[in-house]
């Protein structure tokens, strides 16, 4: 892994290249985009070590879906997800006055070390009127790059501190009344070719894993344009369900392979999460990006060999 190359185009993005293959593994984009799409930093494109893209960007069905990004679909009445806002009994409505943003403030570290690369960032969260609602410390680490096995991993840690004088309420369309739509938090939008991809969990598989709980979830799909498959594995850090002053708040999976491939380890699928003034919500996730269609046994073996 020695020699990972980071290139920072200031004000725009950071790219990371693996020198043995010459593949640009990811771009972290923090330049502001359209207000309607709830501008926020995101990772896209993300590539396997074979060079195949495993994220989508501004698809025609949801222009605010951008690779891998941290979102907040229902936050104390604001929409930091993007696009139309869900209102129970009325459906999705065009309510621009609800759409907010997550704004880049600065980087504390952008570096490639001997065995990993690090992007450490400070952000602020705002509703439509620009008021400061929260501050976030974000750390993205790329590690365990293994060209011989065709896999690499990233760990995403976000610590969100409530800067309001009242609680922040994290919810989702499901907490607002829509069934099986508990999306919020870290969200991955897969490429169009991954539609109908295989969803795998520790004890089952398929779309019926929507709303369930487990330590990991994976989706594998077959590429367009090139032969072969890729698998993405999403895993919770053990402390996620018991972290912070807000107490235990077990996460549930939002997952689809139709009409698009998407995964979110939702922190507010069925129930709102309330964050008191001054308190911090910390969540840590791992994403493994692998060439090939991994089976459950292979995923389990990998996670056991790479403990938190």
């Amino acid at each position: 892994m020695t020699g990972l190359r980071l290139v920072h185009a200031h004000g725009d993005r950071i790219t990371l290249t693996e020198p043995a293959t010459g593949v640009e593994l990811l771009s972290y984009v923090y330049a502001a985009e359209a207000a309607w799409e709830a501008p926020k930093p995101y990772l896209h494109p993300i590539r396997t070590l074979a060079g195949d893209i495993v994220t989508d960007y501004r698809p025609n069905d949801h222009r605010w879906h951008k690779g891998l990004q941290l979102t907040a679909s229902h936050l104390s009445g604001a929409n930091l997800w993007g696009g139309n806002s869900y209102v129970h009994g009325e459906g999705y409505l065009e309510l621009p006055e609800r759409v907010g943003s997550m704004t880049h403030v600065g980087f504390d570290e952008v570096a490639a070390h001997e065995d990993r690369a690090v992007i450490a960032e400070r952000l602020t969260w705002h509703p439509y009127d620009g008021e400061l609602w929260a501050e976030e410390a974000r750390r993205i680490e790329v590690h365990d790059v293994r060209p011989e096995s065709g896999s690499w991993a990233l760990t995403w840690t976000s610590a969100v501190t409530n800067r309001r004088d009242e609680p922040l309420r994290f919810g989702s369309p499901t907490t607002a009344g829509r069934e099986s739509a508990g999306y919020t938090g870290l969200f991955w939008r897969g490429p169009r070719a991954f539609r109908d991809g295989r969803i795998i969990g520790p004890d089952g598989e398929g779309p019926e894993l929507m709303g369930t709980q487990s330590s990991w979830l994976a989706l594998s799909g077959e590429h367009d344009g090139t032969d072969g498959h890729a698998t993405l594995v999403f895993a919770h850090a053990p402390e996620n369900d018991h972290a912070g002053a807000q107490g235990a708040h077990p996460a549930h999976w939002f997952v689809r392979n139709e009409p698009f491939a998407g995964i979110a380890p939702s922190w507010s699928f069925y129930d709102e999460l309330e964050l008191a003034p001054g308190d911090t919500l910390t969540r840590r996730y791992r994403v493994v990006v692998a060439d090939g269609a991994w089976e459950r046994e292979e995923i389990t073996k990998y996670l056991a060999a790479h403990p938190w």
Side-chain angles (χ1 to χ4, degrees), residues 225-287:
T226 60
D227 296 329
H229 296 71
T231 302
L232 278 85
V233 183
F234 297 80
H236 291 285
E239 72 272 13
N240 278 2
D241 288 343
H242 305 281
Q246 75 279 356
H249 194 91
H252 297 77
W253 292 105
F254 173 87
V255 59
R256 284 180 177 164
N257 62 0
E258 188 280 324
F260 59 80
I263 292 179
S266 175
W267 48 31
S268 308
F269 196 105
Y270 295 109
D271 302 297
E272 286 191 341
L273 186 159
E274 187 172 288
L275 188 66
D279 281 357
T280 299
L281 172 70
T282 302
R283 291 293 183 265
R284 188 162 59 115
Y285 307 99
R286 182 164 297 166
V287 182

Side-chain angles (χ1 to χ4, degrees), residues 5-300:
R5 295 197 302 269
L6 277 171
V7 176
H8 188 179
H10 290 268
D12 183 20
R13 68 190 62 211
I14 298 165
T15 58
L16 177 67
T17 301
E18 201 286 311
T21 59
V23 171
E24 184 183 289
L25 296 181
L26 60 81
S27 286
Y28 185 72
V29 183
Y30 63 96
E33 297 192 355
W36 173 245
E37 297 166 14
K40 63 183 75 66
Y42 58 88
L43 287 168
H44 175 81
I46 296 176
R47 292 182 174 90
T48 70
L49 283 168
D52 295 309
I53 295 176
V54 291
T55 48
D56 205 353
Y57 171 76
R58 297 192 75 246
N60 59 22
D61 50 20
H62 297 80
R63 294 298 188 192
W64 47 96
H65 287 187
K66 297 174 183 179
L68 180 68
Q69 58 182 344
L70 190 69
T71 69
S73 60
H74 288 239
L75 182 67
S76 296
N79 169 3
L80 274 64
W81 168 265
N84 292 343
S85 300
Y86 179 77
V87 178
H88 189 54
E90 301 181 63
Y92 285 90
L93 304 179
E94 187 174 332
L95 300 171
E97 68 276 9
R98 289 196 181 187
V99 181
S101 62
M102 298 179 186
T103 304
H104 167 77
V105 174
F107 291 109
D108 293 323
E109 184 178 5
V110 177
H113 300 291
E114 181 178 349
D115 60 350
R116 64 184 53 213
V118 176
I119 300 171
E121 183 186 24
R122 285 168 285 111
L123 306 97
T124 50
W125 293 24
H126 309 271
Y128 178 79
D129 65 7
E131 180 185 351
L132 175 63
W133 275 15
E135 293 176 324
E136 180 192 347
R138 178 177 300 181
R139 186 177 180 88
I140 298 170
E141 300 181 65
V142 174
H143 52 91
D144 293 306
V145 180
R146 301 288 182 262
E148 67 279 6
S149 62
S151 67
W152 62 277
L154 69 85
T155 297
W156 181 305
T157 306
S158 283
V160 182
T161 302
N162 181 5
R163 293 307 185 199
R164 302 183 79 191
D165 294 328
E166 58 186 276
L168 276 175
R169 300 186 313 278
F170 294 81
S172 67
T174 294
T175 67
R178 184 188 175 201
E179 292 185 4
S180 299
Y183 54 81
T184 196
L186 190 68
F187 177 75
W188 166 73
R189 171 67 188 250
R192 195 171 297 275
F194 279 30
R195 180 177 176 178
D196 298 324
R198 183 185 178 193
I199 300 167
I200 309 169
D203 303 305
E205 61 180 85
E208 60 268 25
L209 295 178
M210 172 75 84
T212 63
Q213 293 178 287
S214 62
S215 60
W216 61 267
L217 198 68
L219 191 148
S220 63
E222 186 172 8
H223 303 297
D224 284 337
T226 60
D227 296 329
H229 296 71
T231 302
L232 278 85
V233 183
F234 297 80
H236 291 285
E239 72 272 13
N240 278 2
D241 288 343
H242 305 281
Q246 75 279 356
H249 194 91
H252 297 77
W253 292 105
F254 173 87
V255 59
R256 284 180 177 164
N257 62 0
E258 188 280 324
F260 59 80
I263 292 179
S266 175
W267 48 31
S268 308
F269 196 105
Y270 295 109
D271 302 297
E272 286 191 341
L273 186 159
E274 187 172 288
L275 188 66
D279 281 357
T280 299
L281 172 70
T282 302
R283 291 293 183 265
R284 188 162 59 115
Y285 307 99
R286 182 164 297 166
V287 182
V288 182
V289 181
D291 287 300
W294 282 15
E295 296 291 335
R296 181 178 294 110
E297 181 180 0
E298 193 170 1
I299 296 168
T300 302

